[in-house]
């Protein structure tokens, strides 16, 4: 009887401990685990269920942009990918765009970003077909119906970066941000609050990368909560 009572007490204590350390569903919890961050990441731009990830102890991070959530966490192998992208011709602003758009700065997302025609996105920066066919020599003069040709950037990093720079140089950065965020509509009206918020997020990530040269080659991903469109 005493043995049974002892077992019951131990079991009750174990259950109580589990209750104390359980995180309520939907709680606004800061967790350091990269796997948790990756699991809850929402398609490159945001986070689900109000969960976010805290900054690793060895990373100094500036305050988030006003009214926006941000953070950083580690992803194994991301440093090598950063270096690969830089070696292909990318600068820190390019890294920031790719880092905001995709978790691992790669093309592992639904084909065309689940879009088609001029709205379809390709490459690590998710460049839309309208801008690619308008300003990138590789696709210049092609039609809306030829949008599948943009998929070539998914496996050609150098061409992806080259198209990005051609587009930025042709439009100028302010108009480029408008078009990158919202296609032809954004090119015609690049100063909306949504586009300015996207721009602010990219520049914030760029500034974190530039704040310490180690951030250009370590496994840290910086993020800002920007709603996908």
């Amino acid at each position: 009887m005493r043995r049974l009572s002892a077992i019951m007490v131990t079991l009750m204590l174990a259950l109580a401990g589990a209750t104390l350390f359980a995180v309520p569903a939907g709680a606004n919890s800061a967790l350091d685990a990269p796997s948790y961050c990756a699991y809850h990441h929402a398609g490159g731009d945001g986070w689900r269920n109000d969960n976010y990830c805290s900054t690793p102890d060895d990373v100094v991070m500036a305050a988030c942009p006003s009214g926006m959530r941000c953070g950083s966490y580690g992803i194994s192998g991301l440093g090598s990918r950063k270096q690969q992208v830089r070696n292909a011709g990318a600068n820190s602003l390019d890294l920031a765009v790719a880092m905001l758009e995709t978790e691992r700065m790669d093309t592992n997302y639904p084909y065309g970003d689940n879009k088609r025609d001029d709205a379809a996105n390709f490459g690590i920066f998710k460049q839309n077909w309208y801008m690619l066919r308008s300003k990138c020599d590789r696709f210049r003069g092609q039609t809306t119906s030829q949008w599948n040709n943009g998929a070539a950037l998914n496996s050609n990093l150098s061409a992806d970066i080259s198209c990005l720079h051609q587009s930025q140089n042709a439009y100028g950065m302010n108009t480029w941000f408008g078009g990158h965020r919202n296609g032809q509509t954004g090119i015609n009206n690049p100063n909306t609050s949504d586009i300015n918020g996207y721009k602010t997020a990219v520049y914030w990530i760029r500034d974190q990368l530039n704040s310490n040269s180690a951030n250009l080659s370590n496994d840290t991903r910086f993020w800002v909560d920007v709603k996908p469109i």
Side-chain angles (χ1 to χ4, degrees), residues 44-229:
D45 283 344
W47 300 88
R48 292 191 181 105
N49 301 325
D50 288 330
N51 292 304
Y52 62 99
C53 298
S54 64
T55 306
D57 292 339
D58 59 344
V59 174
V60 177
M61 192 180 75
C64 296
S66 179
M68 305 176 82
R69 293 190 305 161
C70 67
S72 67
Y73 61 96
I75 300 176
S76 179
L78 187 63
S80 296
R81 180 57 171 171
K82 289 178 183 178
Q83 196 63 51
Q84 183 182 19
V85 174
R86 292 176 65 207
N87 288 343
N91 56 42
S92 58
L93 181 65
D94 303 336
L95 289 180
V97 174
M99 191 170 288
L100 180 61
E101 292 291 351
T102 69
E103 185 170 57
R104 296 179 179 273
M105 299 192 298
D106 60 17
T107 58
N108 187 27
Y109 55 85
Y111 183 79
D113 202 20
N114 281 329
K115 302 171 185 177
R116 54 174 295 126
D117 301 323
D118 279 343
N121 294 327
F122 300 103
I124 68 171
F125 310 106
K126 294 188 177 181
Q127 299 185 75
N128 64 68
W129 178 240
Y130 176 79
M131 297 179 76
L132 288 173
R133 69 183 182 87
S134 297
K135 300 301 180 182
C136 179
D137 291 342
R138 186 185 184 97
F139 306 110
R140 193 184 301 272
Q142 296 189 27
T143 65
T144 301
S145 64
Q146 293 175 287
W147 64 277
N148 284 294
N149 291 344
L153 299 187
N154 290 346
S155 57
N156 191 330
L157 184 57
S158 295
D160 192 11
I161 295 170
S162 177
C163 281
L164 182 76
H165 290 170
Q166 289 177 54
S167 184
Q168 291 172 339
N169 291 335
Y171 283 114
M173 289 306 298
N174 190 59
T175 302
W176 176 83
F177 267 111
H180 185 67
R181 176 62 172 170
N182 203 22
Q184 191 172 7
T185 299
I187 289 173
N188 295 330
N189 185 17
N191 296 311
T192 67
S193 59
D194 175 76
I195 292 170
N196 285 333
Y198 180 88
K199 185 192 309 183
T200 295
V202 170
Y203 279 131
W204 183 87
I205 294 173
R206 181 205 62 181
D207 290 347
Q208 309 321 300
L209 292 170
N210 286 338
S211 67
N212 186 335
S213 60
N215 291 336
L216 294 171
S217 58
N218 60 21
D219 284 345
T220 300
R221 178 181 187 252
F222 296 96
W223 59 268
V224 179
D225 192 358
V226 177
K227 183 179 180 181
I229 60 173

